[in-house]
mmCIF file of all heavy atoms in Angstrom:
data_model
loop_
_atom_site.group_PDB
_atom_site.id
_atom_site.type_symbol
_atom_site.label_atom_id
_atom_site.label_comp_id
_atom_site.label_asym_id
_atom_site.label_seq_id
_atom_site.Cartn_x
_atom_site.Cartn_y
_atom_site.Cartn_z
ATOM 1 N N ARG A 278 84.148 120.735 106.575
ATOM 2 C CA ARG A 278 84.375 119.772 107.641
ATOM 3 C C ARG A 278 83.299 118.696 107.604
ATOM 4 O O ARG A 278 82.113 118.977 107.577
ATOM 5 C CB ARG A 278 84.411 120.429 109.025
ATOM 6 C CG ARG A 278 85.734 121.165 109.298
ATOM 7 C CD ARG A 278 85.861 121.256 110.825
ATOM 8 N NE ARG A 278 87.131 121.874 111.146
ATOM 9 C CZ ARG A 278 87.231 123.220 111.524
ATOM 10 N NH1 ARG A 278 86.167 123.930 111.562
ATOM 11 N NH2 ARG A 278 88.434 123.703 111.828
ATOM 12 N N LEU A 279 83.726 117.424 107.701
ATOM 13 C CA LEU A 279 82.739 116.333 107.855
ATOM 14 C C LEU A 279 82.526 115.979 109.285
ATOM 15 O O LEU A 279 81.620 115.224 109.620
ATOM 16 C CB LEU A 279 83.279 115.073 107.092
ATOM 17 C CG LEU A 279 83.382 115.179 105.578
ATOM 18 C CD1 LEU A 279 83.812 113.864 105.022
ATOM 19 C CD2 LEU A 279 82.115 115.655 104.964
ATOM 20 N N ILE A 280 83.387 116.523 110.196
ATOM 21 C CA ILE A 280 83.269 116.226 111.609
ATOM 22 C C ILE A 280 83.740 117.379 112.445
ATOM 23 O O ILE A 280 84.607 118.160 111.984
ATOM 24 C CB ILE A 280 84.086 114.941 111.923
ATOM 25 C CG1 ILE A 280 83.633 114.320 113.256
ATOM 26 C CG2 ILE A 280 85.591 115.222 111.907
ATOM 27 C CD1 ILE A 280 84.155 112.930 113.442
ATOM 28 N N SER A 281 83.109 117.634 113.520
ATOM 29 C CA SER A 281 83.453 118.827 114.334
ATOM 30 C C SER A 281 84.832 118.678 114.938
ATOM 31 O O SER A 281 85.393 117.627 115.097
ATOM 32 C CB SER A 281 82.443 118.970 115.475
ATOM 33 O OG SER A 281 82.420 117.824 116.277
ATOM 34 N N ARG A 282 85.393 119.866 115.250
ATOM 35 C CA ARG A 282 86.754 119.887 115.785
ATOM 36 C C ARG A 282 86.950 119.093 117.026
ATOM 37 O O ARG A 282 88.023 118.473 117.232
ATOM 38 C CB ARG A 282 87.154 121.326 116.021
ATOM 39 C CG ARG A 282 88.593 121.551 116.414
ATOM 40 C CD ARG A 282 88.987 123.039 116.576
ATOM 41 N NE ARG A 282 88.865 123.715 115.315
ATOM 42 C CZ ARG A 282 89.075 124.995 115.206
ATOM 43 N NH1 ARG A 282 89.415 125.729 116.243
ATOM 44 N NH2 ARG A 282 88.952 125.628 114.014
ATOM 45 N N SER A 283 85.945 119.028 117.860
ATOM 46 C CA SER A 283 86.093 118.308 119.175
ATOM 47 C C SER A 283 86.218 116.821 118.968
ATOM 48 O O SER A 283 86.668 116.157 119.864
ATOM 49 C CB SER A 283 84.879 118.625 120.015
ATOM 50 O OG SER A 283 83.665 118.221 119.372
ATOM 51 N N ASN A 284 85.795 116.280 117.835
ATOM 52 C CA ASN A 284 85.835 114.818 117.603
ATOM 53 C C ASN A 284 86.957 114.468 116.545
ATOM 54 O O ASN A 284 87.044 113.256 116.206
ATOM 55 C CB ASN A 284 84.508 114.335 117.131
ATOM 56 C CG ASN A 284 83.448 114.289 118.199
ATOM 57 O OD1 ASN A 284 83.783 114.029 119.390
ATOM 58 N ND2 ASN A 284 82.235 114.544 117.908
ATOM 59 N N GLN A 285 87.651 115.418 116.122
ATOM 60 C CA GLN A 285 88.691 115.110 115.066
ATOM 61 C C GLN A 285 89.758 114.176 115.641
ATOM 62 O O GLN A 285 90.298 113.379 114.853
ATOM 63 C CB GLN A 285 89.319 116.401 114.581
ATOM 64 C CG GLN A 285 88.392 117.221 113.709
ATOM 65 C CD GLN A 285 89.069 118.517 113.167
ATOM 66 O OE1 GLN A 285 90.174 118.863 113.559
ATOM 67 N NE2 GLN A 285 88.337 119.235 112.322
ATOM 68 N N TRP A 286 90.064 114.260 116.885
ATOM 69 C CA TRP A 286 91.122 113.420 117.467
ATOM 70 C C TRP A 286 90.755 111.940 117.366
ATOM 71 O O TRP A 286 91.655 111.072 117.252
ATOM 72 C CB TRP A 286 91.403 113.837 118.934
ATOM 73 C CG TRP A 286 90.238 113.480 119.892
ATOM 74 C CD1 TRP A 286 89.183 114.305 120.155
ATOM 75 C CD2 TRP A 286 90.043 112.301 120.597
ATOM 76 N NE1 TRP A 286 88.309 113.676 121.000
ATOM 77 C CE2 TRP A 286 88.823 112.466 121.301
ATOM 78 C CE3 TRP A 286 90.754 111.108 120.730
ATOM 79 C CZ2 TRP A 286 88.271 111.474 122.151
ATOM 80 C CZ3 TRP A 286 90.269 110.141 121.590
ATOM 81 C CH2 TRP A 286 89.051 110.296 122.276
ATOM 82 N N ILE A 287 89.461 111.628 117.442
ATOM 83 C CA ILE A 287 89.070 110.241 117.326
ATOM 84 C C ILE A 287 89.410 109.684 115.920
ATOM 85 O O ILE A 287 89.951 108.607 115.774
ATOM 86 C CB ILE A 287 87.524 110.099 117.550
ATOM 87 C CG1 ILE A 287 87.201 110.650 118.936
ATOM 88 C CG2 ILE A 287 87.128 108.648 117.433
ATOM 89 C CD1 ILE A 287 85.703 110.599 119.273
ATOM 90 N N VAL A 288 89.092 110.486 114.909
ATOM 91 C CA VAL A 288 89.371 110.022 113.535
ATOM 92 C C VAL A 288 90.859 109.935 113.313
ATOM 93 O O VAL A 288 91.360 108.938 112.706
ATOM 94 C CB VAL A 288 88.776 111.083 112.515
ATOM 95 C CG1 VAL A 288 89.184 110.667 111.075
ATOM 96 C CG2 VAL A 288 87.304 111.141 112.662
ATOM 97 N N MET A 289 91.643 110.820 113.864
ATOM 98 C CA MET A 289 93.104 110.829 113.653
ATOM 99 C C MET A 289 93.727 109.622 114.306
ATOM 100 O O MET A 289 94.504 108.851 113.708
ATOM 101 C CB MET A 289 93.734 112.157 114.160
ATOM 102 C CG MET A 289 93.274 113.354 113.462
ATOM 103 S SD MET A 289 93.689 114.879 114.268
ATOM 104 C CE MET A 289 95.510 114.836 114.144
#
Side-chain angles (χ1 to χ4, degrees):
R278 281 202 178 101
L279 295 185
I280 198 165
S281 59
R282 184 177 297 179
S283 60
N284 287 326
Q285 288 180 354
W286 67 272
I287 301 177
V288 177
M289 296 168 67

